[in-house]
PDB file of all heavy atoms in Angstrom:
ATOM      1  N   HIS K 265      26.115   6.350  40.141  1.00  0.00           N
ATOM      2  CA  HIS K 265      25.285   6.237  41.352  1.00  0.00           C
ATOM      3  C   HIS K 265      24.971   4.766  41.673  1.00  0.00           C
ATOM      4  O   HIS K 265      24.355   4.478  42.699  1.00  0.00           O
ATOM      5  CB  HIS K 265      23.959   6.961  41.123  1.00  0.00           C
ATOM      6  CG  HIS K 265      23.159   6.291  40.037  1.00  0.00           C
ATOM      7  ND1 HIS K 265      23.488   6.400  38.698  1.00  0.00           N
ATOM      8  CD2 HIS K 265      22.115   5.447  40.089  1.00  0.00           C
ATOM      9  CE1 HIS K 265      22.648   5.669  37.985  1.00  0.00           C
ATOM     10  NE2 HIS K 265      21.806   5.070  38.794  1.00  0.00           N
ATOM     11  N   SER K 266      25.367   3.851  40.805  1.00  0.00           N
ATOM     12  CA  SER K 266      24.887   2.468  40.931  1.00  0.00           C
ATOM     13  C   SER K 266      25.393   1.768  42.200  1.00  0.00           C
ATOM     14  O   SER K 266      26.550   1.931  42.608  1.00  0.00           O
ATOM     15  CB  SER K 266      25.348   1.668  39.706  1.00  0.00           C
ATOM     16  OG  SER K 266      25.046   0.304  39.899  1.00  0.00           O
ATOM     17  N   ILE K 267      24.519   0.949  42.750  1.00  0.00           N
ATOM     18  CA  ILE K 267      24.869   0.165  43.945  1.00  0.00           C
ATOM     19  C   ILE K 267      25.514  -1.179  43.525  1.00  0.00           C
ATOM     20  O   ILE K 267      26.078  -1.895  44.355  1.00  0.00           O
ATOM     21  CB  ILE K 267      23.599  -0.055  44.789  1.00  0.00           C
ATOM     22  CG1 ILE K 267      23.951  -0.387  46.234  1.00  0.00           C
ATOM     23  CG2 ILE K 267      22.695  -1.112  44.219  1.00  0.00           C
ATOM     24  CD1 ILE K 267      22.763  -0.309  47.175  1.00  0.00           C
ATOM     25  N   SER K 268      25.455  -1.497  42.233  1.00  0.00           N
ATOM     26  CA  SER K 268      25.933  -2.808  41.755  1.00  0.00           C
ATOM     27  C   SER K 268      27.404  -3.095  42.093  1.00  0.00           C
ATOM     28  O   SER K 268      27.728  -4.218  42.504  1.00  0.00           O
ATOM     29  CB  SER K 268      25.705  -2.948  40.247  1.00  0.00           C
ATOM     30  OG  SER K 268      24.326  -2.959  39.989  1.00  0.00           O
ATOM     31  N   PRO K 269      28.342  -2.128  41.938  1.00  0.00           N
ATOM     32  CA  PRO K 269      29.741  -2.451  42.286  1.00  0.00           C
ATOM     33  C   PRO K 269      29.888  -2.877  43.742  1.00  0.00           C
ATOM     34  O   PRO K 269      30.590  -3.848  44.036  1.00  0.00           O
ATOM     35  CB  PRO K 269      30.484  -1.136  42.012  1.00  0.00           C
ATOM     36  CG  PRO K 269      29.641  -0.395  41.062  1.00  0.00           C
ATOM     37  CD  PRO K 269      28.221  -0.780  41.370  1.00  0.00           C
ATOM     38  N   MET K 270      29.190  -2.166  44.645  1.00  0.00           N
ATOM     39  CA  MET K 270      29.297  -2.524  46.067  1.00  0.00           C
ATOM     40  C   MET K 270      28.779  -3.947  46.287  1.00  0.00           C
ATOM     41  O   MET K 270      29.405  -4.772  46.956  1.00  0.00           O
ATOM     42  CB  MET K 270      28.477  -1.557  46.931  1.00  0.00           C
ATOM     43  CG  MET K 270      29.217  -0.278  47.262  1.00  0.00           C
ATOM     44  SD  MET K 270      28.754   1.020  46.155  1.00  0.00           S
ATOM     45  CE  MET K 270      27.364   1.707  47.009  1.00  0.00           C
ATOM     46  N   MET K 271      27.609  -4.191  45.691  1.00  0.00           N
ATOM     47  CA  MET K 271      26.937  -5.478  45.881  1.00  0.00           C
ATOM     48  C   MET K 271      27.808  -6.644  45.361  1.00  0.00           C
ATOM     49  O   MET K 271      28.085  -7.600  46.081  1.00  0.00           O
ATOM     50  CB  MET K 271      25.622  -5.391  45.076  1.00  0.00           C
ATOM     51  CG  MET K 271      24.680  -6.479  45.277  1.00  0.00           C
ATOM     52  SD  MET K 271      23.001  -6.141  44.645  1.00  0.00           S
ATOM     53  CE  MET K 271      23.119  -5.249  43.191  1.00  0.00           C
ATOM     54  N   HIS K 272      28.269  -6.533  44.113  1.00  0.00           N
ATOM     55  CA  HIS K 272      29.001  -7.657  43.505  1.00  0.00           C
ATOM     56  C   HIS K 272      30.398  -7.821  44.111  1.00  0.00           C
ATOM     57  O   HIS K 272      30.839  -8.938  44.381  1.00  0.00           O
ATOM     58  CB  HIS K 272      29.089  -7.483  41.988  1.00  0.00           C
ATOM     59  CG  HIS K 272      27.760  -7.646  41.318  1.00  0.00           C
ATOM     60  ND1 HIS K 272      27.024  -8.807  41.405  1.00  0.00           N
ATOM     61  CD2 HIS K 272      26.994  -6.792  40.589  1.00  0.00           C
ATOM     62  CE1 HIS K 272      25.887  -8.672  40.750  1.00  0.00           C
ATOM     63  NE2 HIS K 272      25.837  -7.456  40.240  1.00  0.00           N
ATOM     64  N   ASN K 273      31.096  -6.696  44.330  1.00  0.00           N
ATOM     65  CA  ASN K 273      32.459  -6.814  44.867  1.00  0.00           C
ATOM     66  C   ASN K 273      32.452  -7.386  46.279  1.00  0.00           C
ATOM     67  O   ASN K 273      33.335  -8.171  46.646  1.00  0.00           O
ATOM     68  CB  ASN K 273      33.172  -5.458  44.811  1.00  0.00           C
ATOM     69  CG  ASN K 273      33.533  -5.091  43.372  1.00  0.00           C
ATOM     70  OD1 ASN K 273      33.933  -5.956  42.587  1.00  0.00           O
ATOM     71  ND2 ASN K 273      33.372  -3.837  43.010  1.00  0.00           N
ATOM     72  N   GLU K 274      31.430  -7.015  47.063  1.00  0.00           N
ATOM     73  CA  GLU K 274      31.332  -7.576  48.416  1.00  0.00           C
ATOM     74  C   GLU K 274      31.024  -9.084  48.344  1.00  0.00           C
ATOM     75  O   GLU K 274      31.579  -9.877  49.113  1.00  0.00           O
ATOM     76  CB  GLU K 274      30.251  -6.824  49.210  1.00  0.00           C
ATOM     77  CG  GLU K 274      30.020  -7.321  50.625  1.00  0.00           C
ATOM     78  CD  GLU K 274      31.224  -7.131  51.541  1.00  0.00           C
ATOM     79  OE1 GLU K 274      32.243  -6.558  51.130  1.00  0.00           O
ATOM     80  OE2 GLU K 274      31.144  -7.602  52.696  1.00  0.00           O
ATOM     81  N   ALA K 275      30.162  -9.454  47.408  1.00  0.00           N
ATOM     82  CA  ALA K 275      29.829 -10.885  47.261  1.00  0.00           C
ATOM     83  C   ALA K 275      31.064 -11.673  46.802  1.00  0.00           C
ATOM     84  O   ALA K 275      31.320 -12.787  47.287  1.00  0.00           O
ATOM     85  CB  ALA K 275      28.681 -11.058  46.272  1.00  0.00           C
ATOM     86  N   PHE K 276      31.863 -11.103  45.895  1.00  0.00           N
ATOM     87  CA  PHE K 276      33.105 -11.775  45.467  1.00  0.00           C
ATOM     88  C   PHE K 276      34.034 -11.955  46.662  1.00  0.00           C
ATOM     89  O   PHE K 276      34.659 -12.995  46.836  1.00  0.00           O
ATOM     90  CB  PHE K 276      33.831 -10.951  44.388  1.00  0.00           C
ATOM     91  CG  PHE K 276      33.120 -10.881  43.068  1.00  0.00           C
ATOM     92  CD1 PHE K 276      33.129  -9.714  42.313  1.00  0.00           C
ATOM     93  CD2 PHE K 276      32.443 -11.980  42.567  1.00  0.00           C
ATOM     94  CE1 PHE K 276      32.473  -9.644  41.092  1.00  0.00           C
ATOM     95  CE2 PHE K 276      31.773 -11.921  41.336  1.00  0.00           C
ATOM     96  CZ  PHE K 276      31.799 -10.747  40.604  1.00  0.00           C
ATOM     97  N   ARG K 277      34.116 -10.894  47.493  1.00  0.00           N
ATOM     98  CA  ARG K 277      35.012 -10.944  48.659  1.00  0.00           C
ATOM     99  C   ARG K 277      34.560 -12.047  49.621  1.00  0.00           C
ATOM    100  O   ARG K 277      35.366 -12.870  50.062  1.00  0.00           O
ATOM    101  CB  ARG K 277      35.013  -9.582  49.370  1.00  0.00           C
ATOM    102  CG  ARG K 277      36.085  -9.444  50.437  1.00  0.00           C
ATOM    103  CD  ARG K 277      35.878  -8.212  51.293  1.00  0.00           C
ATOM    104  NE  ARG K 277      34.654  -8.256  52.078  1.00  0.00           N
ATOM    105  CZ  ARG K 277      34.479  -8.955  53.187  1.00  0.00           C
ATOM    106  NH1 ARG K 277      35.463  -9.694  53.652  1.00  0.00           N
ATOM    107  NH2 ARG K 277      33.330  -8.934  53.836  1.00  0.00           N
ATOM    108  N   ILE K 278      33.252 -12.076  49.904  1.00  0.00           N
ATOM    109  CA  ILE K 278      32.732 -13.060  50.871  1.00  0.00           C
ATOM    110  C   ILE K 278      32.982 -14.484  50.371  1.00  0.00           C
ATOM    111  O   ILE K 278      33.371 -15.368  51.133  1.00  0.00           O
ATOM    112  CB  ILE K 278      31.219 -12.826  51.118  1.00  0.00           C
ATOM    113  CG1 ILE K 278      31.006 -11.495  51.855  1.00  0.00           C
ATOM    114  CG2 ILE K 278      30.593 -13.978  51.904  1.00  0.00           C
ATOM    115  CD1 ILE K 278      29.553 -11.031  51.893  1.00  0.00           C
ATOM    116  N   LEU K 279      32.778 -14.701  49.076  1.00  0.00           N
ATOM    117  CA  LEU K 279      32.918 -16.061  48.528  1.00  0.00           C
ATOM    118  C   LEU K 279      34.353 -16.370  48.090  1.00  0.00           C
ATOM    119  O   LEU K 279      34.634 -17.481  47.637  1.00  0.00           O
ATOM    120  CB  LEU K 279      31.962 -16.250  47.346  1.00  0.00           C
ATOM    121  CG  LEU K 279      30.455 -16.166  47.676  1.00  0.00           C
ATOM    122  CD1 LEU K 279      29.620 -16.433  46.430  1.00  0.00           C
ATOM    123  CD2 LEU K 279      30.062 -17.157  48.769  1.00  0.00           C
ATOM    124  N   GLY K 280      35.251 -15.374  48.197  1.00  0.00           N
ATOM    125  CA  GLY K 280      36.657 -15.608  47.818  1.00  0.00           C
ATOM    126  C   GLY K 280      36.833 -15.831  46.330  1.00  0.00           C
ATOM    127  O   GLY K 280      37.696 -16.600  45.910  1.00  0.00           O
ATOM    128  N   LEU K 281      36.023 -15.147  45.502  1.00  0.00           N
ATOM    129  CA  LEU K 281      36.148 -15.302  44.045  1.00  0.00           C
ATOM    130  C   LEU K 281      37.088 -14.231  43.490  1.00  0.00           C
ATOM    131  O   LEU K 281      37.020 -13.065  43.908  1.00  0.00           O
ATOM    132  CB  LEU K 281      34.765 -15.168  43.383  1.00  0.00           C
ATOM    133  CG  LEU K 281      33.732 -16.210  43.817  1.00  0.00           C
ATOM    134  CD1 LEU K 281      32.375 -15.920  43.176  1.00  0.00           C
ATOM    135  CD2 LEU K 281      34.195 -17.608  43.435  1.00  0.00           C
ATOM    136  N   ASP K 282      37.943 -14.621  42.568  1.00  0.00           N
ATOM    137  CA  ASP K 282      38.969 -13.714  42.048  1.00  0.00           C
ATOM    138  C   ASP K 282      38.383 -12.895  40.885  1.00  0.00           C
ATOM    139  O   ASP K 282      38.742 -13.075  39.719  1.00  0.00           O
ATOM    140  CB  ASP K 282      40.184 -14.545  41.589  1.00  0.00           C
ATOM    141  CG  ASP K 282      41.406 -13.668  41.371  1.00  0.00           C
ATOM    142  OD1 ASP K 282      41.321 -12.456  41.623  1.00  0.00           O
ATOM    143  OD2 ASP K 282      42.437 -14.215  40.932  1.00  0.00           O
ATOM    144  N   CYS K 283      37.444 -12.016  41.236  1.00  0.00           N
ATOM    145  CA  CYS K 283      36.715 -11.217  40.234  1.00  0.00           C
ATOM    146  C   CYS K 283      36.539  -9.796  40.743  1.00  0.00           C
ATOM    147  O   CYS K 283      36.479  -9.578  41.953  1.00  0.00           O
ATOM    148  CB  CYS K 283      35.317 -11.783  39.998  1.00  0.00           C
ATOM    149  SG  CYS K 283      35.269 -13.473  39.403  1.00  0.00           S
ATOM    150  N   VAL K 284      36.412  -8.846  39.823  1.00  0.00           N
ATOM    151  CA  VAL K 284      36.054  -7.468  40.188  1.00  0.00           C
ATOM    152  C   VAL K 284      34.935  -6.989  39.273  1.00  0.00           C
ATOM    153  O   VAL K 284      34.707  -7.544  38.189  1.00  0.00           O
ATOM    154  CB  VAL K 284      37.227  -6.457  40.053  1.00  0.00           C
ATOM    155  CG1 VAL K 284      38.257  -6.663  41.134  1.00  0.00           C
ATOM    156  CG2 VAL K 284      37.836  -6.493  38.683  1.00  0.00           C
ATOM    157  N   TYR K 285      34.255  -5.932  39.738  1.00  0.00           N
ATOM    158  CA  TYR K 285      33.129  -5.351  38.989  1.00  0.00           C
ATOM    159  C   TYR K 285      33.280  -3.836  39.020  1.00  0.00           C
ATOM    160  O   TYR K 285      33.417  -3.243  40.088  1.00  0.00           O
ATOM    161  CB  TYR K 285      31.825  -5.779  39.671  1.00  0.00           C
ATOM    162  CG  TYR K 285      30.550  -5.336  38.982  1.00  0.00           C
ATOM    163  CD1 TYR K 285      29.823  -6.217  38.186  1.00  0.00           C
ATOM    164  CD2 TYR K 285      30.054  -4.042  39.146  1.00  0.00           C
ATOM    165  CE1 TYR K 285      28.638  -5.821  37.573  1.00  0.00           C
ATOM    166  CE2 TYR K 285      28.876  -3.648  38.528  1.00  0.00           C
ATOM    167  CZ  TYR K 285      28.175  -4.542  37.747  1.00  0.00           C
ATOM    168  OH  TYR K 285      27.009  -4.157  37.138  1.00  0.00           O
ATOM    169  N   LEU K 286      33.280  -3.201  37.834  1.00  0.00           N
ATOM    170  CA  LEU K 286      33.446  -1.742  37.723  1.00  0.00           C
ATOM    171  C   LEU K 286      32.311  -1.145  36.890  1.00  0.00           C
ATOM    172  O   LEU K 286      31.541  -1.885  36.260  1.00  0.00           O
ATOM    173  CB  LEU K 286      34.787  -1.419  37.052  1.00  0.00           C
ATOM    174  CG  LEU K 286      36.059  -1.900  37.760  1.00  0.00           C
ATOM    175  CD1 LEU K 286      37.276  -1.630  36.885  1.00  0.00           C
ATOM    176  CD2 LEU K 286      36.223  -1.213  39.112  1.00  0.00           C
ATOM    177  N   CYS K 287      32.216   0.192  36.902  1.00  0.00           N
ATOM    178  CA  CYS K 287      31.208   0.892  36.091  1.00  0.00           C
ATOM    179  C   CYS K 287      31.897   1.659  34.964  1.00  0.00           C
ATOM    180  O   CYS K 287      32.889   2.346  35.212  1.00  0.00           O
ATOM    181  CB  CYS K 287      30.460   1.912  36.949  1.00  0.00           C
ATOM    182  SG  CYS K 287      29.291   1.165  38.060  1.00  0.00           S
ATOM    183  N   PHE K 288      31.348   1.561  33.751  1.00  0.00           N
ATOM    184  CA  PHE K 288      31.866   2.338  32.621  1.00  0.00           C
ATOM    185  C   PHE K 288      30.723   3.119  31.985  1.00  0.00           C
ATOM    186  O   PHE K 288      29.750   2.519  31.517  1.00  0.00           O
ATOM    187  CB  PHE K 288      32.515   1.423  31.572  1.00  0.00           C
ATOM    188  CG  PHE K 288      33.709   0.663  32.097  1.00  0.00           C
ATOM    189  CD1 PHE K 288      33.718  -0.728  32.085  1.00  0.00           C
ATOM    190  CD2 PHE K 288      34.808   1.342  32.612  1.00  0.00           C
ATOM    191  CE1 PHE K 288      34.810  -1.431  32.571  1.00  0.00           C
ATOM    192  CE2 PHE K 288      35.907   0.644  33.101  1.00  0.00           C
ATOM    193  CZ  PHE K 288      35.907  -0.742  33.079  1.00  0.00           C
TER     194      PHE K 288
END
Side-chain angles (χ1 to χ4, degrees):
H265 65 286
S266 172
I267 201 167
S268 295
M270 276 97 89
M271 189 166 37
H272 291 300
N273 288 321
E274 179 65 3
F276 292 143
R277 190 191 65 77
I278 292 168
L279 296 183
L281 299 176
D282 194 3
C283 300
V284 288
Y285 184 101
L286 299 174
C287 285
F288 298 121

